[in-house]
Amino acid sequence: MKDIVIIGSGVTGSAVARELSCYRAKIVVLERGNDVSVGTTKANSGIVHAGFDAVPGTKKAKYNVAGNAMFDELSKELDFPFRRNGSMVLCFDENERSGLEELYERGVANGVTGLSLISGEEARRMEPYVSEKTVAALYAKTGGIVSPYEMAIAYAENAAVNGAEFLFGHTVESIERTEKGFRVTCANGAAFETKAIVNCAGVHADDVNNMICPEKIEITPRKGDYMLLDKACGYLCNSTLFQLPTKMGKGVLVTPTTHGNILIGPTSTDREGKEDVNTTVEELAQAFEKALITMPTLSKRNIITQFSGLRAHNPGGDFIVGESSVKGFYNAAGIESPGLTAAPAIAVDLATQVASALALEKKDDFNPVRKGIPQFSHLSDEERQKLIDQDPLYGKVVCRCETVTEGEIVNSIRRPLGAKDLDGIKRRTRAGMGRCQAGFCTPRLMEILARELGCDLAEVTKCGGRSQIVTGRTK
Amino acid sequence: MMTERNLVIIGGGPAGLAAAKAAYDCGERDILILERENELGGILNQCIHNGFGLHTFKEELTGPEYAQRYIDEVIKRNIEYKLASTVLNVSRDKIVTYVNAKDGVGVVKAKAVILACGCRERPRGAINIAGMRGAGVFSAGTAQRLVNIEGYLPGKEVVILGSGDIGLIMARRMTFEGAKVKAVIELMPYSSGLNRNIVQCLNDFNIPLKFSHTVVEIKGKDRVEGVVVAAVDEKLRPIMQTAELIPCDTLLLSVGLLPENELAKGAGVSLSPVTGGAVVDENMMTDVDGVFQCGNVLHVHDLVDFVSAESENAGRCAAEYINGKVCAAQKIPVKTVNGVRYCVPQYLCADGVYEPISLKMRVAGVYKKVELTVRADGVKIYGKKRPVVAPGEMENIALNAEQVKALKQAKEIVISLEGGEARA
C-alpha cells in the first residue's frame, strides 16, 4: 500500500514528489516516458515570469507570484541554472501604449514588485539590439530564466534521494476507488494501491482525471515551435523580450537561455494529438518573422536547432489545482504558462494539503540539498585541475562544442535517476546540445552509455522506446 | 605551470601532420602537436575508401594509409605529440591552454601557433528541416564513423540530403553494407561533390540523384519513418504541390562543412565571411602575428593532397617566422570578382622573396567556356581557359616566381572569370 501515487514526472510531478518526500510516506511516481522531464517540461521557453500577465484573482496569478519568489533559494538548494535577468514587454505602436499600462496595473494588483514603464529609448539603452520601432516597454526586474529540464531533474533527484520511488515506462490506464483509497493500474500490468493520487500528467491530465472524477476536464495540446541560436549570438539580449499582445496576436519572445544561447518562439497552434510535436515549415517561418519585429538583425544563419512542445491548455483558462470532488484525488492540471514559474508554489501547496489529509509526519532526516554535476566548462583552470586530479575522466573532453567531459557524462549516468539514453545525457550535461548538434560526440556518447549500462552499442537509444541509434552490426 | 615551446600545432590530422613535418625539415626542432582524438590522422581514419594521394604520392591510397605516411614522417622525426588533448583556448599572445587526463590543464606559451583543427558538418538544425526529432538523422560523417570505425549500420533504408563528397561516399558505403539508398536529394541544380564521386558512388549503383529538390519534413516519432521531398523553385523555395513521401529509416545529411574556428575567434583572428576560415597571406599567417592556419579550418578542401601541400607551406613559414624571417609587412589584397567566390590567400605580402605560390579558389556557380585570370593592376599575369568550372571543384592556380613578382609590385590584384556567360 502506497501513501501517494504521483502521476507524471515533469516539473510539477517532480516538484510535488520532492515537497512530499520530506514527510514519512511511501511515494511512487509513475512516468510513461523513459526519463523525467520528457514532456512539456523539456520543451518550453524556460521563463520565470514576473507575474503581470495573469488575471488578478486567478490561481495563475497567485502561484506565479509566489513561485517566482522561491527561485533564488530553490535554485541554490537544488543546484539548477537560474538567472534573474529581468524581462521587458515591448510596444511598437503608440496607439497600443495603453496595453502596457494595463499590464502594469495587473502586475501591481497581483503583487508584483519591481515593475516600471520605460520609454523606447530607455529600452534600447538597456537592450541595444531591440527594434528602433520600440515606443515604450514594461520592464520587470523580477523576471528570470531557468533551465526547465534541469530544474525538473534536480527536483526528481532530490525526491529520489529522500525516498520517493520513480518508475518509468508506466502509463496509467485505469484508476478505481477502493475501500482504503485507489487502485492505479498501468498499461504494463503493474498495479498500485494507494491512499492518495496527485495528477501531474501534463497534456494527459484530462485522461487521468476523467478515469475517476465525475467532473470531467479537457486539456487541449497547444503546440509551440521554437528556434535556438548559437551561443555566438548570446550578446543580442540580456533580458527576456516579450511583445505586447495586439490585435495581430500574442507575439513571440526573444530570450537568452541560462546557457547563453538565444531562444525565439513559441508559435501557438491547437493540435489534435498529444504526441504531435512535429515542427512545421509554416510555424518555424512564423516564429522567425515575428522575432524579427523585436530584433530586426536576427539571422537565420545562426540557428542551430528547432524544437516544439505542447502546452497543457485548459479551455477554462486557469490552472486546476487541489483536491477534486473525489476525496484523495488531487489535480495539478492545465499547467501551461506560467506553469514552470508556478510549479514550486503549486508543489508546496499540494504537498501541504496531501500531508494534512493523510496526517503525515515530517522526517527528521530529510535532505533538501542536491548537488548537480560539476560543469567543467564553467570552472576556473584551478578548479578543473582539482577535478581531474580526483577523476582523470574530467580531463577527457567528449562534446567539443559545449566542452563536456567524460567525467560529467559518467556522472550523469551513475547518479540517482541517471541518464539512460542520449537525450538524457544531453539534458543533464549539454553534451550534443552545441553547434554541431552531436555530430562528433554521438559515437563517443554511445560507447560510454553502452559501457556504463553494460549493453551493446546497438541497444543505445536516443530517447527510449524504439529510438535505437543504429540498426545493427555491419556485414 | 606554464611551459614554453617554439611551435604548437593544434590538430594532428593531415594538416597538422604535414605542417609539423615541414617545420621540422625547415630546421625547427621544438614542436608540439596537440590532438583531441586518441590517434593521429584526423578524419582520414574513418575515410577507408581509396582515391587519396594521387597528387602527393602518385598512387591511390585509402584515408588511413595516406594518414599513416605522414604519421610515419612525424614519428621518424621524433616530433612530440599529445593525444586525447583538447585545446580550450588560444590567446592573442599565443598562450595555449589544453586539457587531458594525464597533464590535467596544461598551459604552453608558444612562439608560433598553427591552427589545423579541421571543420565540422552542418547539422540538421542549421538548415531548418521541420518535422519530428527521433533517431535516424545523421550527418554523413557521423554515419561514416559509425560504419567504418564502430562497425555499426546506422540504418537500412536511407535518403541522403546533399550531394557533398561525404554524402556520395556514404551512399556507396551504405550500399556495400546492405542498406538501400533510395535517393540523393540536392537543393542546387548541380552537385557540390566531385564528379568522379557521382560516377563511382551513385551512377555505378543506380542511386538516383535529384537536383533542385529538398527535404521539407521528417516523419516518425522515435525513429525516422520517412522524409517528405519536394522540388524547389529558382529561389530555392519548396514547391509544396510536388511534395512526396519517401519511406525510410535514416536521413543522412551532407549539406556542407564549416571550418571550426572557435579557437581562432578567441585569439582575435579575423575570419572571412565567405570561407568561414581565417584571412591569411601567402605564408598562411593570419592577422594575429605568429598565428597560422591551414587545411579545412582555413577553407574546406576537396582533396587531402592540397591540404598537405598548403599545410607544408604553413609549417615552413611558421618555422621561418620563429627564426625571424617572416614579417608582417604591408599587404596587397587579392580581390575576387565576376563569379569567383573567394581566394586563399586573401592577401599577399608586398615585399618578400619571389617564390612560386599557389592560389586556391572556388567559383559561385557552374560556368562554361571561361578563362580564369589573375590581373595585376589590370595586366593579365595568368590565364587558364576552362571548358567548365563548378563550385564543387576547387581551382588551384600555381604561379611561378616571375608571376609572383609581378603581383607583388601591383597595387591591386584581381581574380576573375572572363568570357562565357554573364554572371552576377
Side-chain angles (χ1 to χ4, degrees):
Chain A
M1 183 83 181
K2 306 289 177 194
D3 290 300
I4 307 142
V5 165
I6 297 166
I7 303 171
S9 69
V11 69
T12 315
S14 300
V16 169
R18 190 260 187 169
E19 298 307 340
L20 278 168
S21 69
C22 69
Y23 297 98
R24 279 181 216 290
K26 282 189 198 141
I27 303 166
V28 63
V29 182
L30 303 178
E31 167 57 49
R32 60 200 292 276
N34 192 41
D35 197 350
V36 299
S37 179
V38 294
T40 299
T41 301
K42 77 165 180 195
N44 61 77
S45 308
I47 304 301
V48 176
H49 290 275
F52 50 75
D53 206 27
V55 178
T58 58
K59 288 197 169 74
K60 279 187 178 174
K62 171 182 143 188
Y63 289 121
N64 182 342
V65 176
N68 180 301
M70 295 167 70
F71 270 82
D72 300 275
E73 202 184 313
L74 195 63
S75 61
K76 282 192 196 86
E77 203 167 61
L78 295 178
D79 197 12
F80 61 79
F82 162 71
R83 185 159 74 86
R84 225 173 258 287
N85 63 325
S87 66
M88 257 184 221
V89 183
L90 304 172
C91 170
F92 306 104
D93 183 347
E94 278 298 340
N95 301 320
E96 282 166 350
R97 204 186 264 267
S98 61
L100 282 185
E101 284 155 21
E102 259 172 61
L103 282 181
Y104 177 86
E105 297 301 332
R106 217 188 266 181
V108 171
N110 288 342
V112 180
T113 57
L115 288 177
S116 52
L117 288 163
I118 59 175
S119 67
E121 295 83 69
E122 209 166 333
R124 278 203 306 283
R125 193 178 48 75
M126 292 169 72
E127 295 292 345
Y129 297 94
V130 302
S131 167
E132 290 187 6
K133 290 183 179 147
T134 309
V135 296
L138 171 65
Y139 180 69
K141 214 169 131 187
T142 59
I145 48 178
V146 63
S147 169
Y149 39 87
E150 285 171 272
M151 173 180 165
I153 289 165
Y155 260 133
E157 278 181 19
N158 190 237
V161 166
N162 284 299
E165 186 185 4
F166 283 73
L167 298 174
F168 299 99
H170 281 63
T171 307
V172 172
E173 213 170 45
S174 69
I175 302 173
E176 298 146 275
R177 206 68 175 106
T178 60
E179 207 176 306
K180 286 182 183 155
F182 305 92
R183 186 181 164 79
V184 181
T185 310
C186 296
N188 61 5
F192 305 86
E193 302 283 337
T194 182
K195 292 177 190 159
I197 296 173
V198 187
N199 171 20
C200 306
V203 289
H204 299 277
D206 51 351
D207 302 330
V208 171
N209 174 82
N210 299 348
M211 286 174 193
I212 184 82
C213 274
E215 289 77 27
K216 304 299 174 199
I217 62 171
E218 185 195 337
I219 301 294
T220 311
R222 181 168 282 180
K223 187 176 77 96
D225 285 12
Y226 291 91
M227 297 168 138
L228 191 73
L229 271 57
D230 195 298
K231 281 181 172 176
C233 302
Y235 65 91
L236 285 174
C237 60
N238 177 50
S239 327
T240 299
L241 306 170
F242 299 101
Q243 298 170 347
L244 180 66
T246 67
K247 299 185 288 290
M248 303 302 291
K250 208 178 165 241
V252 299
L253 59 77
V254 177
T255 184
T257 67
T258 50
H259 296 287
N261 299 84
I262 296 288
L263 180 67
I264 65 179
T267 53
S268 182
T269 322
D270 286 350
R271 297 296 282 249
E272 291 290 313
K274 292 178 175 178
E275 311 284 335
D276 289 357
V277 289
N278 56 311
T279 58
T280 67
V281 174
E282 299 77 25
E283 282 172 277
L284 290 174
Q286 200 188 82
F288 191 77
E289 277 159 31
K290 284 188 174 179
L292 285 177
I293 300 173
T294 295
M295 202 172 276
T297 52
L298 286 174
S299 165
K300 273 193 181 165
R301 279 178 71 134
N302 296 315
I303 296 167
I304 60 169
T305 190
Q306 307 77 19
F307 60 90
S308 76
L310 299 172
R311 306 168 180 89
H313 175 64
N314 166 23
D318 205 2
F319 295 154
I320 301 166
V321 177
E323 193 169 19
S324 68
S325 65
V326 178
K327 196 170 157 26
F329 184 87
Y330 297 78
N331 273 314
I335 311 299
E336 61 182 331
S337 176
L340 180 63
T341 316
I346 293 174
V348 168
D349 217 2
L350 278 177
T352 314
Q353 289 178 37
V354 174
S356 132
L358 299 184
L360 300 174
E361 282 170 41
K362 288 237 176 183
K363 286 179 192 162
D364 11 297
D365 58 348
F366 172 70
N367 179 7
V369 177
R370 171 255 184 194
K371 193 83 204 99
I373 302 166
Q375 257 188 291
F376 184 85
S377 64
H378 284 33
L379 301 178
S380 69
D381 285 348
E382 291 71 35
E383 293 169 314
R384 287 169 174 166
Q385 185 63 54
K386 228 174 112 186
L387 205 53
I388 299 166
D389 288 342
Q390 287 161 11
D391 183 354
L393 289 183
Y394 284 94
K396 286 180 158 178
V397 175
V398 174
C399 166
R400 56 173 83 165
C401 302
E402 295 290 315
T403 323
V404 183
T405 62
E406 185 165 348
E408 291 159 86
I409 290 155
V410 168
N411 185 325
S412 80
I413 300 167
R414 290 186 188 167
R415 62 181 22 239
L417 306 180
K420 297 182 277 292
D421 48 44
L422 295 195
D423 283 356
I425 293 176
K426 179 162 86 171
R427 285 190 293 272
R428 285 166 177 81
T429 67
R430 293 190 63 72
M433 226 178 244
R435 48 178 69 92
C436 93
Q437 288 286 298
F440 283 114
C441 63
T442 293
R444 288 284 292 121
L445 294 173
M446 290 169 70
E447 280 171 32
I448 297 168
L449 200 55
R451 182 188 77 208
E452 291 294 317
L453 300 181
C455 70
D456 188 80
L457 216 64
E459 296 169 52
V460 170
T461 67
K462 179 173 186 289
C463 48
R466 288 168 44 249
S467 68
Q468 283 80 10
I469 310 290
V470 295
T471 52
R473 303 284 317 195
T474 49
K475 277 182 187 170
Chain B
M1 201 189 68
M2 188 152 78
T3 56
E4 289 187 11
R5 302 301 287 253
N6 279 355
L7 177 59
V8 173
I9 299 175
I10 302 172
L17 293 170
K21 165 182 178 272
Y24 184 97
D25 292 349
C26 219
E28 183 51 61
R29 292 293 178 271
D30 186 17
I31 305 172
L32 172 64
I33 303 173
L34 295 171
E35 165 56 43
R36 58 186 153 201
E37 294 293 323
N38 294 325
E39 279 168 82
L40 292 173
I43 209 72
L44 285 177
N45 288 332
Q46 67 182 53
C47 301
I48 63 170
H49 53 284
N50 61 358
F52 299 91
L54 286 167
H55 295 259
T56 312
F57 300 111
K58 311 291 174 225
E59 53 183 314
E60 246 187 294
L61 305 174
T62 63
E65 284 171 338
Y66 185 99
Q68 196 59 48
R69 298 268 172 116
Y70 277 91
I71 294 170
D72 291 344
E73 298 292 329
V74 162
I75 289 172
K76 206 158 70 189
R77 286 166 180 76
N78 235 337
I79 296 171
E80 191 190 351
Y81 58 88
K82 289 180 186 288
L83 301 174
S85 303
T86 301
V87 173
L88 301 173
N89 186 54
V90 179
S91 73
R92 215 184 154 81
D93 46 2
K94 298 180 283 286
I95 294 173
V96 179
T97 308
Y98 69 92
V99 61
N100 67 30
K102 191 164 151 276
D103 303 350
V105 181
V107 184
V108 188
K109 171 126 180 65
K111 286 189 180 145
V113 172
I114 300 178
L115 298 169
C117 26
C119 58
R120 63 168 169 267
E121 297 178 282
R122 182 174 278 131
R124 167 191 179 175
I127 53 172
N128 271 307
I129 309 176
M132 297 297 281
R133 295 165 299 282
V137 182
F138 302 88
S139 53
T142 309
Q144 187 177 48
R145 184 181 164 114
L146 287 170
V147 175
N148 293 346
I149 306 274
E150 316 291 340
Y152 285 85
L153 195 61
K156 289 175 177 153
E157 297 205 308
V158 186
V159 170
I160 300 176
L161 175 62
S163 59
D165 287 313
I166 315 171
L168 299 174
I169 294 287
M170 282 312 291
R172 178 175 64 184
R173 188 78 189 99
M174 296 286 283
T175 306
F176 283 159
E177 291 297 338
K180 168 82 186 155
V181 179
K182 293 191 151 179
V184 175
I185 310 294
E186 171 58 57
L187 179 71
M188 304 304 286
Y190 51 81
S191 168
S192 57
L194 295 172
N195 195 48
R196 75 169 196 218
N197 282 336
I198 294 177
V199 175
Q200 293 170 7
C201 301
L202 300 188
N203 299 356
D204 288 358
F205 300 90
N206 295 318
I207 297 168
L209 171 57
K210 286 181 164 210
F211 288 117
S212 299
H213 276 68
T214 193
V215 171
V216 292
E217 192 188 346
I218 299 171
K219 302 267 192 194
K221 186 174 182 285
D222 281 358
R223 173 91 199 183
V224 174
E225 287 165 11
V227 295
V228 180
V229 170
V232 297
D233 63 20
E234 63 283 356
K235 285 186 172 159
L236 307 179
R237 293 170 306 202
I239 307 164
M240 293 313 281
Q241 296 90 315
T242 65
E244 71 167 316
L245 175 75
I246 305 181
C248 60
D249 62 15
T250 304
L251 175 67
L252 297 192
L253 301 174
S254 180
V255 291
L257 299 170
L258 307 165
E260 200 155 53
N261 262 305
E262 279 61 44
L263 291 175
K265 278 187 213 165
V269 168
S270 298
L271 301 181
S272 154
V274 185
T275 60
V279 171
V280 293
D281 59 25
E282 77 270 28
N283 303 315
M284 300 294 123
M285 189 158 93
T286 67
D287 61 352
V288 174
D289 201 44
V291 175
F292 296 76
Q293 261 201 354
C294 55
N296 280 353
V297 73
L298 178 58
H299 60 138
V300 176
H301 294 64
D302 310 324
L303 298 177
V304 71
D305 305 73
F306 293 153
V307 168
S308 300
E310 178 180 287
S311 304
E312 287 181 18
N313 182 32
R316 258 192 314 272
C317 295
E320 286 181 5
Y321 169 88
I322 293 165
N323 288 329
K325 279 187 197 150
V326 178
C327 56
Q330 197 194 337
K331 291 181 180 182
I332 318 160
V334 181
K335 257 177 87 177
T336 56
V337 298
N338 208 24
V340 183
R341 269 185 77 225
Y342 75 80
C343 171
V344 169
Q346 289 87 350
Y347 290 92
L348 296 185
C349 294
D351 50 357
V353 273
Y354 303 124
E355 279 180 6
I357 61 170
S358 80
L359 305 178
K360 298 188 197 75
M361 61 209 67
R362 282 184 198 272
V363 296
V366 177
Y367 306 121
K368 288 178 181 157
K369 289 188 190 152
V370 287
E371 185 179 12
L372 185 57
T373 64
V374 183
R375 288 179 183 271
D377 293 337
V379 178
K380 192 180 354 172
I381 300 297
Y382 175 95
K384 178 162 72 169
K385 293 221 164 66
R386 300 292 313 273
V388 63
V389 290
E393 315 242 352
M394 184 187 281
E395 299 293 329
N396 193 2
I397 294 179
L399 299 174
N400 59 36
E402 201 56 36
Q403 290 164 324
V404 174
K405 182 178 176 185
L407 290 183
K408 289 199 170 193
Q409 284 164 358
K411 286 199 175 57
E412 189 183 59
I413 302 167
V414 176
I415 302 178
S416 169
L417 287 176
E418 298 180 18
E421 306 140 20
R423 286 168 298 277

